[in-house]
mmCIF file with all atom_site columns, all heavy atoms in Angstrom:
data_model
loop_
_atom_site.group_PDB
_atom_site.id
_atom_site.type_symbol
_atom_site.label_atom_id
_atom_site.label_alt_id
_atom_site.label_comp_id
_atom_site.label_asym_id
_atom_site.label_entity_id
_atom_site.label_seq_id
_atom_site.pdbx_PDB_ins_code
_atom_site.Cartn_x
_atom_site.Cartn_y
_atom_site.Cartn_z
_atom_site.occupancy
_atom_site.B_iso_or_equiv
_atom_site.pdbx_formal_charge
_atom_site.auth_seq_id
_atom_site.auth_comp_id
_atom_site.auth_asym_id
_atom_site.auth_atom_id
_atom_site.pdbx_PDB_model_num
ATOM 1  N N   . HIS A 1 15  ? 3.508   16.900  -11.385  1.00 0.00 ? 15  HIS A N   1
ATOM 2  C CA  . HIS A 1 15  ? 2.510   17.773  -11.995  1.00 0.00 ? 15  HIS A CA  1
ATOM 3  C C   . HIS A 1 15  ? 2.576   19.185  -11.430  1.00 0.00 ? 15  HIS A C   1
ATOM 4  O O   . HIS A 1 15  ? 2.235   20.143  -12.118  1.00 0.00 ? 15  HIS A O   1
ATOM 5  C CB  . HIS A 1 15  ? 1.110   17.180  -11.813  1.00 0.00 ? 15  HIS A CB  1
ATOM 6  C CG  . HIS A 1 15  ? 0.818   16.055  -12.755  1.00 0.00 ? 15  HIS A CG  1
ATOM 7  N ND1 . HIS A 1 15  ? 1.262   14.755  -12.535  1.00 0.00 ? 15  HIS A ND1 1
ATOM 8  C CD2 . HIS A 1 15  ? 0.156   16.026  -13.959  1.00 0.00 ? 15  HIS A CD2 1
ATOM 9  C CE1 . HIS A 1 15  ? 0.883   13.979  -13.521  1.00 0.00 ? 15  HIS A CE1 1
ATOM 10 N NE2 . HIS A 1 15  ? 0.203   14.727  -14.414  1.00 0.00 ? 15  HIS A NE2 1
ATOM 11 N N   . LYS A 1 107 ? 30.226  47.050  -20.296  1.00 0.00 ? 107 LYS A N   1
ATOM 12 C CA  . LYS A 1 107 ? 31.028  47.974  -21.089  1.00 0.00 ? 107 LYS A CA  1
ATOM 13 C C   . LYS A 1 107 ? 32.500  47.632  -21.077  1.00 0.00 ? 107 LYS A C   1
ATOM 14 O O   . LYS A 1 107 ? 33.221  47.867  -22.048  1.00 0.00 ? 107 LYS A O   1
ATOM 15 C CB  . LYS A 1 107 ? 30.817  49.408  -20.593  1.00 0.00 ? 107 LYS A CB  1
ATOM 16 C CG  . LYS A 1 107 ? 29.485  50.008  -20.973  1.00 0.00 ? 107 LYS A CG  1
ATOM 17 C CD  . LYS A 1 107 ? 29.384  51.462  -20.567  1.00 0.00 ? 107 LYS A CD  1
ATOM 18 C CE  . LYS A 1 107 ? 28.039  52.046  -20.983  1.00 0.00 ? 107 LYS A CE  1
ATOM 19 N NZ  . LYS A 1 107 ? 27.923  53.469  -20.593  1.00 0.00 ? 107 LYS A NZ  1
ATOM 20 N N   . SER A 1 182 ? 18.120  56.120  -81.480  1.00 0.00 ? 182 SER A N   1
ATOM 21 C CA  . SER A 1 182 ? 18.356  57.088  -82.550  1.00 0.00 ? 182 SER A CA  1
ATOM 22 C C   . SER A 1 182 ? 17.683  56.592  -83.815  1.00 0.00 ? 182 SER A C   1
ATOM 23 O O   . SER A 1 182 ? 17.509  55.393  -84.013  1.00 0.00 ? 182 SER A O   1
ATOM 24 C CB  . SER A 1 182 ? 19.860  57.261  -82.787  1.00 0.00 ? 182 SER A CB  1
ATOM 25 O OG  . SER A 1 182 ? 20.470  56.010  -82.940  1.00 0.00 ? 182 SER A OG  1
ATOM 26 N N   . GLY A 1 184 ? 16.911  55.273  -87.472  1.00 0.00 ? 184 GLY A N   1
ATOM 27 C CA  . GLY A 1 184 ? 17.700  54.513  -88.430  1.00 0.00 ? 184 GLY A CA  1
ATOM 28 C C   . GLY A 1 184 ? 18.098  55.352  -89.625  1.00 0.00 ? 184 GLY A C   1
ATOM 29 O O   . GLY A 1 184 ? 19.179  55.181  -90.186  1.00 0.00 ? 184 GLY A O   1
ATOM 30 N N   . GLY A 1 215 ? 34.176  88.919  -80.133  1.00 0.00 ? 215 GLY A N   1
ATOM 31 C CA  . GLY A 1 215 ? 33.688  89.232  -81.467  1.00 0.00 ? 215 GLY A CA  1
ATOM 32 C C   . GLY A 1 215 ? 34.409  88.509  -82.572  1.00 0.00 ? 215 GLY A C   1
ATOM 33 O O   . GLY A 1 215 ? 33.932  88.480  -83.701  1.00 0.00 ? 215 GLY A O   1
ATOM 34 N N   . THR A 1 225 ? 35.627  83.164  -76.396  1.00 0.00 ? 225 THR A N   1
ATOM 35 C CA  . THR A 1 225 ? 36.882  83.854  -76.073  1.00 0.00 ? 225 THR A CA  1
ATOM 36 C C   . THR A 1 225 ? 37.781  82.966  -75.232  1.00 0.00 ? 225 THR A C   1
ATOM 37 O O   . THR A 1 225 ? 37.327  82.024  -74.581  1.00 0.00 ? 225 THR A O   1
ATOM 38 C CB  . THR A 1 225 ? 36.591  85.155  -75.301  1.00 0.00 ? 225 THR A CB  1
ATOM 39 O OG1 . THR A 1 225 ? 35.901  84.837  -74.085  1.00 0.00 ? 225 THR A OG1 1
ATOM 40 C CG2 . THR A 1 225 ? 35.761  86.119  -76.123  1.00 0.00 ? 225 THR A CG2 1
ATOM 41 N N   . ASN A 1 400 ? 32.263  70.612  -118.605 1.00 0.00 ? 400 ASN A N   1
ATOM 42 C CA  . ASN A 1 400 ? 33.070  69.603  -117.929 1.00 0.00 ? 400 ASN A CA  1
ATOM 43 C C   . ASN A 1 400 ? 33.767  70.201  -116.712 1.00 0.00 ? 400 ASN A C   1
ATOM 44 O O   . ASN A 1 400 ? 33.840  71.405  -116.519 1.00 0.00 ? 400 ASN A O   1
ATOM 45 C CB  . ASN A 1 400 ? 34.115  69.038  -118.897 1.00 0.00 ? 400 ASN A CB  1
ATOM 46 C CG  . ASN A 1 400 ? 33.468  68.318  -120.066 1.00 0.00 ? 400 ASN A CG  1
ATOM 47 O OD1 . ASN A 1 400 ? 32.485  67.619  -119.880 1.00 0.00 ? 400 ASN A OD1 1
ATOM 48 N ND2 . ASN A 1 400 ? 34.021  68.502  -121.258 1.00 0.00 ? 400 ASN A ND2 1
ATOM 49 N N   . GLY A 1 456 ? 23.772  58.662  -107.887 1.00 0.00 ? 456 GLY A N   1
ATOM 50 C CA  . GLY A 1 456 ? 24.240  59.786  -107.101 1.00 0.00 ? 456 GLY A CA  1
ATOM 51 C C   . GLY A 1 456 ? 23.202  60.357  -106.167 1.00 0.00 ? 456 GLY A C   1
ATOM 52 O O   . GLY A 1 456 ? 23.393  61.422  -105.588 1.00 0.00 ? 456 GLY A O   1
ATOM 53 N N   . VAL A 1 480 ? 34.990  73.330  -67.929  1.00 0.00 ? 480 VAL A N   1
ATOM 54 C CA  . VAL A 1 480 ? 35.204  71.903  -68.105  1.00 0.00 ? 480 VAL A CA  1
ATOM 55 C C   . VAL A 1 480 ? 36.246  71.695  -69.190  1.00 0.00 ? 480 VAL A C   1
ATOM 56 O O   . VAL A 1 480 ? 36.126  72.245  -70.290  1.00 0.00 ? 480 VAL A O   1
ATOM 57 C CB  . VAL A 1 480 ? 33.895  71.187  -68.484  1.00 0.00 ? 480 VAL A CB  1
ATOM 58 C CG1 . VAL A 1 480 ? 34.139  69.697  -68.662  1.00 0.00 ? 480 VAL A CG1 1
ATOM 59 C CG2 . VAL A 1 480 ? 32.828  71.430  -67.424  1.00 0.00 ? 480 VAL A CG2 1
ATOM 60 N N   . THR A 1 532 ? 30.583  48.395  -68.831  1.00 0.00 ? 532 THR A N   1
ATOM 61 C CA  . THR A 1 532 ? 31.585  47.390  -69.165  1.00 0.00 ? 532 THR A CA  1
ATOM 62 C C   . THR A 1 532 ? 31.521  47.051  -70.644  1.00 0.00 ? 532 THR A C   1
ATOM 63 O O   . THR A 1 532 ? 30.442  46.743  -71.174  1.00 0.00 ? 532 THR A O   1
ATOM 64 C CB  . THR A 1 532 ? 31.359  46.107  -68.334  1.00 0.00 ? 532 THR A CB  1
ATOM 65 O OG1 . THR A 1 532 ? 31.359  46.452  -66.941  1.00 0.00 ? 532 THR A OG1 1
ATOM 66 C CG2 . THR A 1 532 ? 32.453  45.087  -68.605  1.00 0.00 ? 532 THR A CG2 1
ATOM 67 N N   . VAL A 1 548 ? 19.131  57.599  -71.805  1.00 0.00 ? 548 VAL A N   1
ATOM 68 C CA  . VAL A 1 548 ? 20.468  57.819  -71.258  1.00 0.00 ? 548 VAL A CA  1
ATOM 69 C C   . VAL A 1 548 ? 20.415  58.921  -70.210  1.00 0.00 ? 548 VAL A C   1
ATOM 70 O O   . VAL A 1 548 ? 19.795  59.965  -70.389  1.00 0.00 ? 548 VAL A O   1
ATOM 71 C CB  . VAL A 1 548 ? 21.471  58.164  -72.379  1.00 0.00 ? 548 VAL A CB  1
ATOM 72 C CG1 . VAL A 1 548 ? 21.077  59.421  -73.108  1.00 0.00 ? 548 VAL A CG1 1
ATOM 73 C CG2 . VAL A 1 548 ? 22.879  58.285  -71.832  1.00 0.00 ? 548 VAL A CG2 1
ATOM 74 N N   . ARG A 1 600 ? 19.058  29.755  -18.753  1.00 0.00 ? 600 ARG A N   1
ATOM 75 C CA  . ARG A 1 600 ? 18.275  30.977  -18.719  1.00 0.00 ? 600 ARG A CA  1
ATOM 76 C C   . ARG A 1 600 ? 18.894  31.941  -17.720  1.00 0.00 ? 600 ARG A C   1
ATOM 77 O O   . ARG A 1 600 ? 19.489  31.522  -16.727  1.00 0.00 ? 600 ARG A O   1
ATOM 78 C CB  . ARG A 1 600 ? 16.832  30.690  -18.317  1.00 0.00 ? 600 ARG A CB  1
ATOM 79 C CG  . ARG A 1 600 ? 16.018  29.938  -19.357  1.00 0.00 ? 600 ARG A CG  1
ATOM 80 C CD  . ARG A 1 600 ? 14.616  29.676  -18.838  1.00 0.00 ? 600 ARG A CD  1
ATOM 81 N NE  . ARG A 1 600 ? 13.815  28.920  -19.792  1.00 0.00 ? 600 ARG A NE  1
ATOM 82 C CZ  . ARG A 1 600 ? 13.030  29.457  -20.714  1.00 0.00 ? 600 ARG A CZ  1
ATOM 83 N NH1 . ARG A 1 600 ? 12.951  30.776  -20.807  1.00 0.00 ? 600 ARG A NH1 1
ATOM 84 N NH2 . ARG A 1 600 ? 12.338  28.714  -21.538  1.00 0.00 ? 600 ARG A NH2 1
ATOM 85 N N   . ARG A 1 689 ? -13.738 -8.471  18.638   1.00 0.00 ? 689 ARG A N   1
ATOM 86 C CA  . ARG A 1 689 ? -14.344 -9.783  18.772   1.00 0.00 ? 689 ARG A CA  1
ATOM 87 C C   . ARG A 1 689 ? -13.563 -10.657 19.742   1.00 0.00 ? 689 ARG A C   1
ATOM 88 O O   . ARG A 1 689 ? -14.128 -11.386 20.560   1.00 0.00 ? 689 ARG A O   1
ATOM 89 C CB  . ARG A 1 689 ? -14.445 -10.462 17.401   1.00 0.00 ? 689 ARG A CB  1
ATOM 90 C CG  . ARG A 1 689 ? -15.535 -9.853  16.525   1.00 0.00 ? 689 ARG A CG  1
ATOM 91 C CD  . ARG A 1 689 ? -15.826 -10.803 15.361   1.00 0.00 ? 689 ARG A CD  1
ATOM 92 N NE  . ARG A 1 689 ? -14.665 -10.982 14.526   1.00 0.00 ? 689 ARG A NE  1
ATOM 93 C CZ  . ARG A 1 689 ? -14.382 -10.221 13.470   1.00 0.00 ? 689 ARG A CZ  1
ATOM 94 N NH1 . ARG A 1 689 ? -15.198 -9.228  13.147   1.00 0.00 ? 689 ARG A NH1 1
ATOM 95 N NH2 . ARG A 1 689 ? -13.303 -10.452 12.764   1.00 0.00 ? 689 ARG A NH2 1
#
Side-chain angles (χ1 to χ4, degrees):
H15 283 81
K107 286 185 179 180
S182 50
T225 60
N400 297 320
V480 180
T532 304
V548 61
R600 290 178 182 268
R689 287 195 298 270

